[in-house]
Amino acid sequence: MGQGSVDLIIENGRLLDGSGNPWRYADVGVRDGIIVAVGDLEDVEAERRIDASGLYVAPGFIDVHSHAAGPLENPDLASAEPLLRQGITTIVGNPDGGGPVDLAAQGRRLETVHPGVNVALLAPHGSIRRKVMGIQDRAPSAPEMEQMKDLVEAAMKDGGWGLSSGLYYTPGRFAETEEVIDLARVAAAHGGLYTSHIRDEADYNIGLVAAVDEVIEISRQAGIPAVVTHVKALGPRVWGFSEAVVQRVESARSEGLEVWADQYPYQASATGLGAALLPGVNLETAQLSDEELRKIIGLNLQRRGGADRIQFRFSTSQPEIEGRTLAEVARGRSLAPDQTALDLLRGGGAGIVSFNMHPADVARFMSQEWVMTCSDGGLVPAGRGVPHPRNNGTFPRKIRRYVLENGVISLPFAIRSMTSLPASVFGFHDRGRLVPGMVADIVVFDLERLTDRATFQDPHQLSQGIVHVLLAGRLALDNESLTSQRLGSVLRK
């Protein structure tokens, strides 16, 4: 380390360095926001020493698929307390092809409020397509394609880390693979990656396996690392298909392609009622009878396991349904579930939680060394709706349920999936490991007490067991108390 004192030493903790190695006892010394020493630092002078006896010390957790970037612009949410209490120090925003097109302006807005966590941004394909073409189901003209390329180029020059797409959603679903390849090449030229809410996680259109194959082909043709984001086998009709997906990704990786995935540790997903039951259908313009619409809804309810597996997160027009299942609401109205869903969609729609995954598929995906951790969550004001508990519980839940309770993965494996692996995949080369020279984004946690408290019926409860969180060597969470400082930065590639 050399001579001289340091600002802070975290001592006597069980160090998980992020690499996947087992823990070891080691102190961590921080100076000017950088880790300058790891080892026995008993004789080193420090302005402050944090005793981590009985606790674990790890790199700050990185959430590679987050919808919190927009909410962080709200001063009332900018502290990011629900994220910090999960140990999250960095999020990747603008997933699923959504978010602002102008990353420079977005970054300035975030910097104005001083976010409580670091934020990295992606260029959103769906927003870019919408800006250039609107909601049109066709291929772009040559001038339109050039406009989209220019917008991706601008986003990358403004610090974007890659291109995101949501090929299941409108308008991304209207894009052919070749369009995405051409745009991904622009991101690749700037060292970026490609991350995708794939075209089909079930059997809505091309099917789960073919949708994963599409991501692999984009990686191959564009020469870009690619991420199958929030990987899952959605619905009983594709349960067990995780084995085929794993085989596809392993084959691609053996070919030399950088193909990855991320995952949240829940058996339920969340989306809009329309996206789940009438994907791609605009009720205002659709030339379909009620009978035809109900038939489509009924088929898609089967895909998702039935009306009792659909729980409402929020409804602006009918808040009384929040927290109830579609089956319960239908019974209360003495209507069939398909008619109830159609009525709700015509009344303004609703957000849903969909219980559609099989535990064996969740475990199989989680056990792969190329799968990172993500939340797919955001920041929801306390008391608003009945949102998915992943907003408040993802990272502690993965450790509590899948390490300590079920033994699906080991603690070092889980920590690697939250730290050095995402840092390596996304190119955050100065974060994700506890070694000298790295930015001091650090989390200290009590493994015995670490748990998610958010449930599907009471999702606003914050996680517990995270004791300290440091961003660039400064304390955002100190002895489980939120400090008054918002210490995040906008990370630009």
Side-chain angles (χ1 to χ4, degrees):
M1 184 191 80
Q3 301 301 314
S5 65
V6 298
D7 302 325
L8 176 73
I9 291 176
I10 303 171
E11 58 187 0
N12 304 320
R14 298 180 176 187
L15 186 82
L16 287 156
D17 65 11
S19 68
N21 287 332
W23 68 265
R24 72 184 195 278
Y25 285 115
D27 307 329
V28 180
V30 177
R31 183 193 299 132
D32 297 330
I34 303 297
I35 298 170
V36 294
V38 176
D40 183 356
L41 307 181
E42 181 179 0
D43 297 329
V44 176
E45 293 184 8
E47 292 184 19
R48 178 175 176 182
R49 306 182 84 92
I50 292 177
D51 185 5
S53 297
L55 306 177
Y56 288 78
V57 183
F61 301 156
I62 300 170
D63 185 351
V64 296
H65 183 125
S66 172
H67 294 276
L72 280 171
E73 295 182 23
N74 181 343
D76 293 334
L77 300 174
S79 71
E81 181 177 4
L83 309 185
L84 293 170
R85 291 199 180 276
Q86 295 181 62
I88 296 168
T89 55
T90 299
I91 67 162
V92 179
N94 300 349
D96 300 331
V101 172
D102 187 341
L103 298 197
Q106 185 182 15
R108 288 192 297 269
R109 291 193 301 272
L110 285 162
E111 288 172 332
T112 297
V113 298
H114 302 290
V117 295
N118 301 315
V119 182
L121 299 171
L122 298 169
H125 166 255
S127 299
I128 288 169
R129 193 179 212 273
R130 185 187 299 263
K131 181 178 179 66
V132 173
M133 300 178 60
I135 308 295
Q136 297 195 52
D137 185 0
R138 61 171 176 82
S141 66
E144 288 169 337
M145 193 69 216
E146 288 306 310
Q147 281 184 268
M148 288 195 286
K149 287 181 179 179
D150 288 345
L151 289 171
V152 175
E153 176 89 9
M156 295 304 297
K157 288 181 176 177
D158 288 333
W161 294 85
L163 176 72
S164 82
S165 76
L167 301 184
Y168 176 75
Y169 296 113
T170 302
R173 66 189 302 115
F174 302 144
E176 298 293 337
T177 307
E178 291 72 21
E179 174 186 320
V180 183
I181 290 170
D182 285 346
L183 297 177
R185 286 189 177 118
V186 178
H190 291 269
L193 50 62
Y194 170 68
T195 176
S196 182
H197 179 131
I198 59 178
R199 202 175 292 272
D200 195 353
E201 296 175 326
D203 62 344
Y204 276 94
N205 46 72
I206 65 173
L208 169 61
V209 175
V212 171
D213 286 342
E214 182 180 33
V215 174
I216 293 169
E217 187 62 18
I218 291 167
S219 174
R220 181 183 292 116
Q221 295 298 328
I224 194 169
V227 180
V228 177
T229 200
H230 49 51
V231 65
K232 63 176 73 71
L234 190 157
R237 290 156 63 140
V238 294
W239 283 351
F241 280 35
S242 58
E243 186 172 359
V245 171
V246 169
Q247 290 173 350
R248 290 298 205 282
V249 174
E250 291 283 4
S251 177
R253 292 184 61 80
S254 67
E255 179 186 330
L257 301 178
E258 281 195 65
V259 181
W260 314 88
D262 60 52
Q263 178 197 36
Y264 49 80
Y266 294 87
Q267 289 170 226
S269 60
T271 189
L273 184 65
L277 301 184
L278 284 178
V281 176
N282 184 334
L283 285 176
E284 294 182 0
T285 60
Q287 301 295 310
L288 296 170
S289 67
D290 278 13
E291 183 178 353
E292 291 169 321
L293 291 169
R294 288 180 58 181
K295 184 176 181 180
I296 296 170
I297 290 171
L299 178 61
N300 289 331
L301 278 173
Q302 291 178 25
R303 284 193 167 96
R304 289 184 175 257
D308 58 343
R309 289 178 174 267
I310 302 292
Q311 177 180 308
F312 294 105
R313 293 184 291 141
F314 65 85
S315 172
T316 54
S317 61
Q318 301 179 65
E320 69 276 5
I321 70 173
E322 293 171 354
R324 301 169 64 194
T325 67
L326 175 58
E328 290 170 339
V329 174
R331 283 196 296 270
R333 298 182 178 188
S334 299
L335 294 172
D338 55 2
Q339 183 63 58
T340 302
L342 183 57
D343 291 346
L344 288 168
L345 288 168
R346 285 195 166 130
I352 65 166
V353 168
S354 175
F355 297 86
N356 51 46
M357 287 172 254
H358 193 282
D361 290 319
V362 174
R364 182 177 287 115
F365 285 133
M366 190 177 291
S367 302
Q368 306 308 313
E369 62 180 10
W370 36 264
V371 174
M372 302 171 281
T373 305
C374 78
S375 73
D376 195 15
L379 287 166
V380 180
R384 181 174 295 177
V386 188
H388 196 299
R390 66 193 183 190
N391 295 290
N392 293 335
T394 292
F395 285 75
R397 176 186 175 87
K398 184 167 181 174
I399 293 171
R400 170 58 52 190
R401 175 157 301 201
Y402 291 95
V403 173
L404 300 179
E405 295 177 358
N406 296 343
V408 172
I409 52 176
S410 70
L411 180 60
F413 188 95
I415 295 298
R416 172 183 170 272
S417 78
M418 303 171 178
T419 57
S420 70
L421 180 59
S424 174
V425 171
F426 278 78
F428 306 144
H429 298 308
D430 58 353
R431 297 164 206 271
R433 291 179 297 145
L434 296 184
V435 296
M438 291 285 173
V439 173
D441 289 353
I442 302 172
V443 58
V444 181
F445 61 92
D446 183 341
L447 186 61
E448 291 186 3
R449 294 193 303 113
L450 185 67
T451 190
D452 59 312
R453 298 170 62 240
T455 67
F456 286 98
Q457 288 300 323
D458 191 2
H460 292 286
Q461 299 183 89
L462 302 181
S463 293
Q464 64 183 22
I466 300 293
V467 181
H468 303 283
V469 176
L470 288 80
L471 278 81
R474 299 166 67 192
L475 284 155
L477 201 67
D478 188 358
N479 279 318
E480 300 190 51
S481 294
L482 192 70
T483 69
S484 60
Q485 304 179 89
R486 299 205 292 253
L487 302 172
S489 301
V490 176
L491 307 182
R492 295 178 173 88
K493 187 168 179 64

